[in-house]
């Protein structure tokens, strides 16, 4: 294939620009190790410029001052722009972070466009409130944009994670400064160009690529940023809350890690479906999903039958060329992450878990970074592979005896993002779902997903919810206006 070079310059105030320092870093494709772009290595000076542009746009009301119906029309055009450039964006996403083209085209582009359209559509359908006060007053409860929103996102679903935040933030009338992951900066930069073409005014949506400590921290610490919306690891998420507190007490919203329990009772309605969903969901996106069902609890009496079927399905997920439309598992985002995953495989083996399938690096001849789908049985709760987020295609299978036992094991985690329970007994399924400490619980399926439902975690999986109308709470202030009424009648 011919060498492709993308534009990696930042996007500030409606135009491309180099980092003030002129520094760049290589954007390396995990597909085959080639350099895709030289990306602006932004730092404090660039963040200052982007925040100043965002503030100026907010103050002169070029975006927040538009009628909601006008903002709606632009947001819908923005969504249409993504679809009009779907092939280009999908290819860029696949080359940049390694996911199969099949999914970047059918899932990532469509889902990001749908999210932008959905929040755009909502813009002129949300009403404010009047409080039930005594007749001597009129109390208006109105929503106002918070101002300048800083957004920091990870690399596993670069466009979707960005869309979940920028769409409600922009729809509500805010200005945005987005810092994409240094491992996947390209589509975010392209989205900013498409947003301008759709009619989002210069300065309203800025994209500043760079590394976490150099570009992310200045954004989270900035005294003129009103809100920071972060998706990433729990380790960095904790620092984001500290930075928000250390600076201007900006609103801080975090979507963090997970180690989601997937509980299969012996009376699950369809064992084959349960196996297929469990295996398919942990290996989807190379296991690089915050909500991946990475802790699988199988009731002891069906354990052998379950594992036999799971092992039989695993070869379907062997990694292939991400640019081949038939591939269902692609490359791990970079060598650092691949080595992390392989370290966890080694730790599982050394702690005594039984390696049922995979565990090796794959496609080494490609020059990229690939790992086989991996299944460990005989995992016990104290092992690292049962407790820590691996963020790779590694399934840890544990066992349990009854509902009380599995709820206790499932909840014994610092995370609380998602969970699943499989049983045909409605009392058991709902009882266990209620007892699980997680932001989302699936019953007899794992993959249902829609922009209309909130997404976020309990415990150290984060603070706040993305998606659905609830997301507007993060990007709006609530104002009360008391009006004295001395009625003549
Ligand atoms: P990460 O925390 O390493 O990085 C996330 C982002 O934070 C990147 O843009 C990075 O540059 C930036 N960053 C790093 N250090 C920073 C600092 N000191 N100050 C400011 N910004 C900093 O996470 P990652 O490896 O990119 O992504 C994987 C993690 O994201 C996993 O833990 C995964 O579970 C989580 N995730 C959560 C959700 C969710 O909705 N809960 C969704 C996707 C991913």
């Amino acid at each position: 294939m011919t060498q492709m070079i993308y534009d990696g310059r930042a996007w500030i105030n409606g135009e491309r620009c180099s980092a003030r320092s002129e520094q760049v870093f290589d954007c390396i494709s995990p597909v085959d190790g080639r350099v895709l772009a030289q990306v602006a290595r932004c730092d404090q000076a660039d963040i200052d410029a982007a925040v100043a542009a965002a503030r100026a746009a907010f103050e002169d009301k070029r975006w927040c001052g538009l009628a909601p119906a006008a903002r709606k029309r632009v947001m819908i055009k923005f969504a249409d722009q993504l679809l009009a450039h779907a092939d280009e964006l999908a290819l860029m996403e696949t080359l940049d972070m390694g996911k199969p083209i099949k999914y970047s085209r059918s899932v990532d582009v469509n889902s990001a466009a749908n999210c932008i359209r959905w929040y755009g559509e909502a813009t002129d359908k949300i009403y404010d409130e009047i409080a039930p006060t005594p007749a001597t007053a009129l109390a208006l409860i109105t929503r106002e944009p918070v101002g300048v929103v800083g957004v920091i996102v990870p690399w596993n679903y670069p466009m979707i994670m960005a869309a979940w935040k920028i769409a409600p933030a922009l729809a509500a009338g805010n200005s945005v400064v987005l810092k994409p992951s240094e491992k996947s900066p390209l589509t975010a930069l392209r989205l900013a160009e498409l947003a301008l073409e759709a009619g989002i005014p210069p300065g309203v949506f800025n994209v500043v690529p760079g590394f976490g400590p150099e570009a992310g921290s200045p954004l989270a610490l900035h005294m003129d940023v009103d809100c920071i919306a972060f998706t990433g690891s729990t380790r960095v998420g904790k620092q984001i809350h500290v930075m928000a507190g250390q600076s201007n007490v900006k609103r801080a919203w975090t979507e963090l890690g997970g180690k989601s329990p997937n509980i299969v009772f012996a009376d699950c309605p369809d064992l084959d479906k349960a196996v297929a969903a469990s295996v398919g969901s942990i290996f989807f996106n190379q296991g690089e999903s915050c909500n991946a069902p990475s802790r699988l609890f199988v009731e002891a009496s069906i354990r052998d039958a379950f594992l036999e079927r799971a092992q039989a399905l695993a070869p379907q997920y062997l990694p292939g060329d991400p640019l081949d439309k038939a591939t269902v598992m692609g490359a791990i985002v970079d060598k650092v992450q691949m080595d992390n995953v392989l370290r966890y495989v080694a730790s599982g083996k050394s702690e005594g878990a039984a390696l049922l399938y995979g565990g090796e690096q794959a496609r080494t001849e490609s020059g990229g970074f690939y790992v086989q789908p991996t299944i460990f049985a005989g995992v016990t709760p104290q092992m690292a592979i049962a407790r820590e987020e691996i963020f790779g295609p590694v399934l840890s299978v544990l066992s349990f005896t009854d509902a009380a036992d599995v709820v206790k094991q499932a909840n014994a985690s610092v995370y609380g993002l998602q969970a699943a329970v499989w049983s045909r007994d409605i009392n058991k399924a709902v009882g266990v779902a209620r007892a699980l400490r997680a932001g989302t619980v699936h019953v007899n399926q794992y993959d249902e997903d829609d922009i209309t439902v909130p997404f976020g975690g309990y415990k150290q999986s984060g603070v706040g919810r993305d998606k659905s109308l609830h997301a507007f709470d993060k990007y709006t202030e609530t104002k009360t206006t008391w009006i004295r009424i001395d009625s003549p009648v």
Side-chain angles (χ1 to χ4, degrees):
M1 188 195 288
T2 53
Q3 181 84 355
M4 296 188 73
I5 297 289
Y6 289 118
D7 190 345
R9 287 175 299 161
W11 180 266
I12 298 175
N13 211 16
E15 53 189 24
R16 291 280 192 171
C17 58
S18 302
R20 267 77 189 145
S21 65
E22 300 286 336
Q23 296 288 305
V24 292
F25 64 95
D26 284 345
C27 175
I28 294 168
S29 174
V31 171
D32 53 13
R34 78 180 123 148
V35 177
L36 294 170
Q38 302 239 289
V39 178
R41 184 168 179 164
C42 294
D43 60 19
Q44 178 83 53
D46 308 288
I47 293 291
D48 285 346
V51 172
R55 175 61 63 192
F58 188 70
E59 291 299 327
D60 72 16
K61 299 189 169 43
R62 69 187 80 159
W63 176 244
C64 64
L66 296 182
R71 281 208 304 276
K72 174 184 78 173
R73 283 193 290 275
V74 174
M75 294 289 290
I76 290 172
K77 266 196 207 159
F78 183 17
D80 288 342
Q81 282 285 76
L82 265 70
L83 297 182
H85 294 82
D87 290 338
E88 175 201 344
L89 290 167
L91 179 61
M92 201 183 264
E93 199 81 310
T94 287
L95 289 174
D96 202 359
M97 61 69 66
K99 68 175 69 197
I101 191 80
K102 171 188 173 111
Y103 297 129
S104 49
R105 180 68 181 79
S106 67
V107 178
D108 294 69
V109 178
N110 289 347
S111 176
N114 184 50
C115 173
I116 293 167
R117 181 185 313 279
W118 194 83
Y119 284 105
E121 286 283 3
T123 311
D124 66 351
K125 295 171 188 65
I126 295 175
Y127 291 69
D128 288 327
E129 301 165 36
I130 295 175
T133 54
T136 50
L138 180 63
L140 309 178
I141 302 169
T142 50
R143 293 280 185 175
E144 296 182 352
V146 296
V148 175
V149 176
V151 174
I152 301 177
V153 289
W155 45 262
N156 58 338
Y157 296 93
M159 263 185 292
I160 297 177
M161 293 300 102
W164 284 6
K165 295 181 190 324
I166 64 171
L170 291 172
N174 296 284
S175 297
V176 171
V177 177
L178 166 64
K179 195 209 81 66
S181 170
E182 59 278 20
K183 301 185 184 196
S184 61
L186 298 180
T187 46
L189 291 164
R190 188 72 183 108
L191 288 191
E193 288 178 333
L194 296 176
L196 185 84
E197 286 168 22
I200 293 188
V204 172
F205 177 28
N206 307 275
V207 180
V208 189
F211 292 88
E214 293 171 8
S217 294
L219 187 59
L221 282 166
H222 207 288
M223 294 300 286
D224 206 22
V225 169
D226 302 290
C227 166
I228 187 89
F230 174 87
T231 297
S233 63
T234 294
R235 181 184 66 80
V236 178
K238 288 180 182 183
Q239 296 173 32
I240 295 290
H241 286 288
V242 171
M243 288 188 261
Q246 273 175 342
S247 50
N248 58 345
V249 197
K250 56 177 68 64
R251 282 99 194 89
W253 307 110
T254 48
E255 299 286 348
L256 308 177
K259 190 77 184 172
S260 298
N262 179 21
I263 301 167
V264 186
F265 283 98
D267 64 355
C268 77
D270 182 333
L271 187 61
D272 286 325
K273 263 195 192 154
V275 175
S278 304
V279 169
S281 299
I282 179 67
F283 296 144
F284 184 66
N285 212 46
Q286 302 71 245
E288 298 162 332
S289 299
C290 52
N291 61 338
S294 50
R295 281 189 296 156
L296 173 63
F297 293 92
V298 183
E299 191 162 4
S301 61
I302 56 161
R303 182 181 169 277
D304 291 346
F306 192 106
L307 290 179
E308 197 180 302
R309 287 168 165 84
Q311 218 174 331
L313 286 184
Q316 293 179 13
Y317 295 91
L318 281 167
D321 178 357
L323 295 170
D324 180 341
K325 282 184 186 155
T327 294
V328 294
M329 186 146 94
I332 302 291
V333 70
D334 66 0
K335 182 166 185 322
V336 174
Q337 183 63 11
M338 180 182 73
D339 289 346
N340 254 343
V341 174
L342 294 172
R343 251 195 309 278
Y344 274 111
V345 172
S347 128
K349 286 189 206 163
S350 73
E351 289 196 284
L355 181 62
L356 281 195
Y357 192 84
E360 301 286 335
Q361 190 181 343
R363 306 192 80 241
T364 44
E365 74 292 349
S366 66
F369 314 111
Y370 299 82
V371 176
Q372 295 173 336
T374 301
I375 303 177
F376 275 110
V379 178
T380 55
Q382 64 282 359
M383 292 180 184
I385 59 168
R387 289 182 291 107
E388 295 171 21
E389 184 181 44
I390 300 174
F391 225 56
V394 181
L395 179 62
S396 300
V397 187
L398 298 95
S399 194
F400 68 94
T401 48
D402 59 26
D405 170 34
V406 77
V407 165
K408 196 168 163 208
Q409 288 197 62
N411 282 341
S413 170
V414 297
Y415 299 114
L417 190 55
Q418 298 214 341
V421 48
W422 299 77
S423 168
R424 65 161 63 89
D425 176 345
I426 187 82
N427 296 307
K428 196 198 288 180
V430 174
V432 169
R434 283 181 180 164
L436 290 169
R437 303 277 299 154
T440 299
V441 183
H442 301 274
V443 175
N444 295 331
Q445 60 86 37
Y446 203 86
D447 287 336
E448 220 38 82
D449 183 36
D450 200 75
I451 189 66
T452 56
V453 298
F455 187 103
Y458 284 26
K459 301 195 272 184
Q460 292 185 33
S461 286
V463 177
R465 294 290 181 269
D466 278 333
K467 301 169 65 186
S468 81
L469 294 180
H470 292 277
F472 279 123
D473 294 343
K474 305 202 295 190
Y475 307 112
T476 51
E477 292 286 9
T478 305
K479 177 178 278 182
T480 301
T481 309
W482 283 102
I483 303 168
R484 172 81 196 172
I485 306 290
D486 291 319
S487 175
V489 290

